[in-house]
Amino acid sequence: MAPNSVVVTIEKPDSSALKVNGLDSSVFLEKQKAVSTKQFTWVLLLKVNRIFACLSWLPMAFRAMFVSLRKRIALSDMSDEEPKSRGRLYKFIKAFLGLSIVALVIEVIAHFKNWNLNLIQPWEVQGLVQWSYMTWSAFRVDYIAPVAIILSKFCIVLFLIQSLDRLVLCLGCFWIKYKKIKPTVAADAYDIEDPSTFPMVLLQIPMCNEREVYEQAIESACQMDWPRDRLLIQILDDSDDRNLQLLIKDEVSTWNQKGVNIIYRHRLIRTGYKAGNLKSAMGCDYVKDYEFVAIFDADFQPNPDFLKLTIPHFKGNPELGLVQARWSFVNKDENLLTRLQNINLCFHFEVEQQVNGVFLNFFGFNGTAGVWRIKALEESGGWLERTTVEDMDIAVRAHLNGWKFIFLNDVRVLCELPESYETYKKQQHRWHSGPMQLFRLCLPAILTSKISMWKKSNLIFLFFLLRKLILPFYSFTLFCIILPLTMFLPEAELPLWVICYIPIFMSFLNILPSPKSFPFLVPYLLFENTMSVTKFNAMVSGLFQLGSSYEWVVTKKTGRSSESDLLALAERESLSSNEEKILRRNSESGLELLSKLKEQEVAPIPKKKKKNGIYRKELALAFLLLTASARSFLSAHGVHFYFLLFQGLSFLAVGLDLIGEQMG
């Protein structure tokens, strides 16, 4: 049976105890209430103390952040940014920013003085500021607002069309997953026990001053699981560093002595960048003996079974011209910049490339990690040096000649992502200016080609216009120009579904192929809008053939390897004996000695310490958006204010080079 009394002990300063009979004792309730009130008071005081401590820490934190930003600006190399940043677009943004600041000052004065245009008569105007406010209000209603409304509606239509295209691509990807559609290989493609049935394959590695990655690139190619007498590896070196040339020759000679069929080529006249390098290599007499060519950039590390997973797709499929593999990234978790790039490229491969490959048999060649039928290259005109996107150029010309493409989503090749914003920005400039160059050059050929009208429409309206021109145009114009402008034009205010609901939904679709990136949904949305200024500038320069559209900057590499690569390397090293290492060193001694002599002749050049850059266009847009957010705050716009605020802060972080690799 349960006891009929309860003993409650309440600790007090005198350590006394109180015995209470019965569960409903009023004394017990009063004492418990008194103690609870005292405890609540102490907890409340503790929380208040913590709040004051936090408030006292905030000024110090803001001061430290301000000092850090001031040092960053003082130590940054403003010459790193191209002079184009001071061109027409930059001047336009600065002028827009100046007008916005003036308008904001007038709006602030009008807000605190409660001026209302509808209630003020002309003879009641007091002072120049009030007259300026009335003049500005009348001018914007009559002249600026109608133009802004028309432009915003036009951009919204483009935005909806592009969003619909992306939604259709995602539905196509879901259908592929649901039906488990995959490219198939003939059962009797090649006889594994008879190497003579394997086709002749040429493997090319174009490189230019790739000191950090040349060794791992050559090693990955030389370990390819393919009959050695059916494979030739070409190292196509465009380096202008004599010492680096000797190092690459040394590495090639080492693998050549191990029985690998590998040769080193260096051009005396370096024209046409990568396209010129590949074109020169394909002009060799011995190329006619080979049926396929596999191409890898210097930072790509294919698995040994790459050729056995790709080449069999050509067997029994004479119309197949290209087999493209997917990229995988060893440094996708290095920093925020690489994580955001991984989201974009996962969507590109998983959705865009796979859907276009399954339903259209066409997509843009990625320039690496692909295998071409040499006959398709020759019939399509070979490599041309007319654009900075030679890979897309040859893909379009091959498509116009009737060749089909296959994308293998399950075959992945390791590579690197740019880790600094400077490198990423230059890469994106080339990737978005080149397609506009190519569109101008290919449009007559597309219109006069013999392919179906559907394929012509797909090339012109979807492949080029919608995904290469319209996307950067509306993204920059709508979210970086029109949206801040509408904060000063209440008549042209954008609806919430344009600036919030649809962009978040589209970003959600983009992240689906990389589900681990869901925590970065909002940073991804903000960063994509931030990159729109670079993409828009590149698109315009490519479309109108400006000087910057012909620039080719080799993407900097770090030579990173994944954990699995390091384990595999350790395993391979453990299997090799010390005698083999000694023999290898002896075989390399001549070239090593020559390399040392060359290094002694040339005085060592001290490495220049890298500095963070200052990007003027991004900073100008940051202040423009923050100015618009202040105007939005006065009008209590809500979502508009938060979007402009965080978008302005993201532009500020990028403009001060606070994203990606921190160089100090």
Side-chain angles (χ1 to χ4, degrees):
M1 295 179 63
N4 55 6
S5 65
V6 176
V7 178
V8 179
T9 303
I10 303 176
E11 295 183 358
K12 292 185 177 181
D14 58 357
S15 302
S16 62
L18 175 65
K19 182 177 180 181
V20 183
N21 294 324
L23 293 173
D24 299 329
S25 173
S26 60
V27 177
F28 171 72
L29 292 175
E30 291 176 359
K31 290 294 182 181
Q32 185 184 38
K33 184 175 181 180
V35 174
S36 299
T37 303
K38 185 182 295 185
Q39 290 178 346
F40 176 75
T41 303
W42 279 107
V43 170
L44 184 61
L45 290 175
L46 181 61
K47 289 185 177 293
V48 171
N49 180 55
R50 289 180 178 178
I51 291 173
F52 277 108
C54 181
L55 291 176
S56 64
W57 173 83
L58 281 177
M60 298 177 60
F62 279 114
R63 181 179 179 277
M65 183 178 66
F66 176 75
V67 172
S68 177
L69 291 177
R70 189 172 62 179
K71 288 182 179 179
R72 170 62 57 85
I73 295 174
L75 297 176
S76 296
D77 189 359
M78 301 186 76
S79 63
D80 285 347
E81 193 180 10
E82 65 279 6
K84 304 180 292 295
S85 63
R86 309 180 199 109
R88 296 179 180 177
L89 180 60
Y90 178 59
K91 292 178 181 178
F92 169 76
I93 297 173
K94 284 202 305 181
F96 191 11
L97 173 61
L99 292 175
S100 300
I101 293 175
V102 173
L104 177 62
V105 172
I106 297 175
E107 293 285 355
V108 169
I109 296 174
H111 175 77
F112 285 103
K113 291 194 174 184
N114 296 320
W115 289 344
N116 192 326
L117 182 62
N118 298 325
L119 300 179
I120 298 177
Q121 300 299 327
W123 57 84
E124 297 177 346
V125 175
Q126 299 176 356
L128 180 62
V129 177
Q130 191 172 12
W131 177 85
S132 300
Y133 174 70
M134 290 188 61
T135 304
W136 155 248
S137 300
F139 181 78
R140 78 186 186 192
V141 171
D142 295 336
Y143 299 101
I144 301 180
V147 177
I149 291 173
I150 294 174
L151 184 59
S152 63
K153 288 182 178 179
F154 177 68
C155 290
I156 289 173
V157 170
L158 297 180
F159 175 44
L160 293 177
I161 293 174
Q162 196 274 334
S163 301
L164 179 62
D165 172 65
R166 184 145 298 194
L167 180 61
V168 170
L169 288 174
C170 290
L171 293 176
C173 183
F174 291 147
W175 181 258
I176 292 173
K177 298 292 184 184
Y178 175 71
K179 291 293 184 179
K180 299 181 180 179
I181 301 174
K182 290 183 180 181
T184 57
V185 179
D188 57 344
Y190 301 109
D191 187 358
I192 299 178
E193 298 180 356
D194 185 8
S196 62
T197 62
F198 285 66
M200 300 288 287
V201 178
L202 183 67
L203 194 153
Q204 297 177 333
I205 304 179
M207 58 178 65
C208 180
N209 297 325
E210 306 281 7
R211 180 181 293 272
E212 295 82 7
V213 294
Y214 77 90
E215 194 171 0
Q216 69 183 29
I218 296 174
E219 181 183 8
S220 299
C222 293
Q223 292 179 348
M224 198 66 66
D225 185 13
W226 198 258
R228 290 192 173 183
D229 59 336
R230 319 292 290 178
L231 176 66
L232 173 63
I233 302 173
Q234 284 182 319
I235 306 301
L236 311 177
D237 182 27
D238 263 4
S239 304
D240 54 8
D241 185 345
R242 180 60 180 167
N243 289 332
L244 180 57
Q245 295 173 22
L246 294 174
L247 291 173
I248 298 175
K249 284 183 180 179
D250 185 11
E251 188 70 17
V252 170
S253 176
T254 299
W255 287 101
N256 205 345
Q257 293 177 14
K258 292 182 178 182
V260 178
N261 193 11
I262 181 173
I263 61 175
Y264 174 85
R265 295 190 81 255
H266 184 270
R267 294 191 298 163
L268 297 178
I269 303 177
R270 298 172 56 248
T271 58
Y273 302 113
K274 181 179 176 181
N277 200 358
L278 293 172
K279 181 179 179 180
S280 174
M282 294 300 294
C284 298
D285 293 336
Y286 54 79
V287 172
K288 64 179 182 296
D289 299 327
Y290 293 84
E291 187 177 357
F292 304 103
V293 55
I295 303 172
F296 297 98
D297 285 347
D299 61 314
F300 279 70
Q301 305 170 55
N303 290 329
D305 61 349
F306 176 84
L307 294 178
K308 288 188 174 180
L309 294 175
T310 54
I311 298 292
H313 288 275
F314 290 95
K315 186 67 176 294
N317 196 354
E319 296 181 346
L320 182 61
L322 168 68
V323 174
Q324 172 73 60
R326 179 174 175 171
W327 300 359
S328 183
F329 311 106
V330 298
N331 60 339
K332 62 183 179 182
D333 297 324
E334 182 64 24
N335 53 45
L336 179 60
L337 179 61
T338 58
R339 291 177 184 272
L340 299 179
Q341 291 179 70
N342 179 61
I343 295 173
N344 250 345
L345 290 172
C346 283
F347 181 87
H348 170 70
F349 287 109
E350 184 99 8
V351 180
E352 293 179 345
Q353 297 291 75
Q354 186 172 211
V355 171
N356 290 325
V358 169
F359 294 104
L360 299 176
N361 296 123
F362 167 72
F363 46 82
F365 175 46
N366 295 117
T368 178
V371 181
W372 277 94
R373 190 189 296 270
I374 294 181
K375 182 180 178 182
L377 291 176
E378 293 174 347
E379 290 186 356
S380 303
W383 298 103
L384 299 180
E385 307 166 13
R386 57 183 183 172
T387 70
T388 57
V389 283
E390 76 295 327
D391 45 8
M392 186 182 294
D393 188 2
I394 188 63
V396 170
R397 287 184 281 118
H399 181 57
L400 295 179
N401 279 274
W403 292 98
K404 296 181 179 180
F405 302 166
I406 284 180
F407 177 75
L408 301 180
N409 192 52
D410 296 333
V411 181
R412 307 192 177 200
V413 182
L414 288 174
C415 63
E416 287 186 23
L417 290 167
E419 297 182 5
S420 68
Y421 179 69
E422 177 189 4
T423 304
Y424 180 63
K425 182 177 181 180
K426 292 178 179 178
Q427 180 198 71
Q428 291 299 304
H429 187 277
R430 177 169 60 86
W431 284 7
H432 286 82
S433 64
M436 290 297 97
Q437 289 179 331
L438 183 61
F439 178 64
R440 288 172 57 105
L441 297 171
C442 283
L443 184 58
I446 295 173
L447 295 175
T448 58
S449 64
K450 297 180 180 180
I451 61 176
S452 65
M453 187 58 65
W454 156 244
K455 291 184 178 180
K456 291 181 181 180
S457 301
N458 172 68
L459 270 176
I460 295 174
F461 297 107
L462 294 181
F463 186 75
F464 279 114
L465 292 181
L466 184 61
R467 297 166 189 166
K468 303 298 188 296
L469 187 148
I470 290 177
L471 176 58
F473 170 78
Y474 88 74
S475 180
F476 172 74
T477 307
L478 188 62
F479 295 107
C480 298
I481 301 298
I482 295 179
L483 179 59
L485 178 63
T486 57
M487 294 300 98
F488 301 94
L489 300 172
E491 302 81 8
E493 183 177 324
L494 294 175
L496 285 179
W497 57 268
V498 172
I499 66 170
C500 182
Y501 303 141
I502 292 184
I504 289 179
F505 179 68
M506 290 296 107
S507 300
F508 175 79
L509 293 180
N510 274 28
I511 289 182
L512 284 179
S514 51
K516 293 183 179 179
S517 302
F518 273 106
F520 303 96
L521 175 65
V522 174
Y524 171 74
L525 172 61
L526 296 175
F527 183 70
E528 280 301 290
N529 291 334
T530 305
M531 285 303 300
S532 64
V533 61
T534 297
K535 297 176 181 179
F536 176 82
N537 193 37
M539 180 269 293
V540 172
S541 66
L543 186 63
F544 295 102
Q545 301 290 352
L546 302 180
S548 61
S549 62
Y550 295 96
E551 291 183 354
W552 180 294
V553 180
V554 177
T555 304
K556 296 178 183 178
K557 317 294 192 312
T558 61
R560 295 185 184 275
S561 297
S562 64
E563 185 178 355
S564 59
D565 294 331
L566 297 176
L567 293 175
L569 178 62
E571 184 178 355
R572 290 195 300 270
E573 290 294 333
S574 64
L575 294 176
S576 59
S577 61
N578 292 330
E579 290 78 12
E580 182 180 353
K581 293 181 181 178
I582 294 174
L583 290 175
R584 174 175 174 175
R585 287 184 178 179
N586 290 335
S587 65
E588 297 171 351
S589 58
L591 289 174
E592 285 182 348
L593 180 60
L594 180 61
S595 176
K596 290 179 180 179
L597 291 175
K598 292 290 183 181
E599 291 176 354
Q600 291 175 0
E601 292 177 1
V602 181
I605 302 175
K607 291 185 177 180
K608 183 180 178 181
K609 186 178 179 181
K610 294 189 295 183
K611 297 181 180 180
N612 291 82
I614 293 294
Y615 302 100
R616 295 174 176 84
K617 287 195 293 292
E618 284 80 354
L619 284 178
L621 282 169
F623 293 123
L624 172 62
L625 291 167
L626 292 175
T627 302
S629 68
R631 176 65 183 89
S632 176
F633 180 76
L634 291 178
S635 303
H637 278 106
V639 175
H640 294 73
F641 164 72
Y642 290 110
F643 181 87
L644 288 166
L645 175 63
F646 289 112
Q647 189 65 72
L649 292 176
S650 66
F651 266 104
L652 185 63
V654 170
L656 294 174
D657 202 7
L658 296 174
I659 186 173
E661 179 188 48
Q662 296 302 300
M663 295 176 286

